[in-house]
Amino acid sequence: MLKMGKISYIIPFLLVPIFGILIGYVATITKFIPPLAYGVPWTTPGPLMPFLATGGNFKGLIIGILITAMSIVVYAPFVIASNKSAAKAQESNSLNM
């Protein structure tokens, strides 16, 4: 059975990629980073992808780190709420035994 704590992760799961794409798009159209010129394997770590895809432009690395930081900021409240919910459920289970 699916618990409410697990389903709450769907919100950041959907928001983070949208925000990441928007940050990359804005960085490209404002010419902060050059357009992506090289294909990068999908197994490349996230912050390195824009760095390598822009041909080693360090501004691409900054964008990759920015997107990673944004992901952490978006996920953090949901993880904290889930941890509190799990602790409360564990506490109530231990009281019932």
Side-chain angles (χ1 to χ4, degrees), residues 11-54:
I11 297 167
F13 183 78
L14 295 173
L15 290 179
V16 165
I18 293 169
F19 291 159
I21 290 170
L22 286 174
I23 290 171
Y25 177 73
V26 169
T28 304
I29 64 168
T30 60
K31 303 210 186 304
F32 182 74
I33 60 172
L36 305 180
Y38 302 103
V40 181
W42 68 271
T43 56
T44 305
L48 291 178
M49 278 186 175
F51 173 71
L52 296 174
T54 58

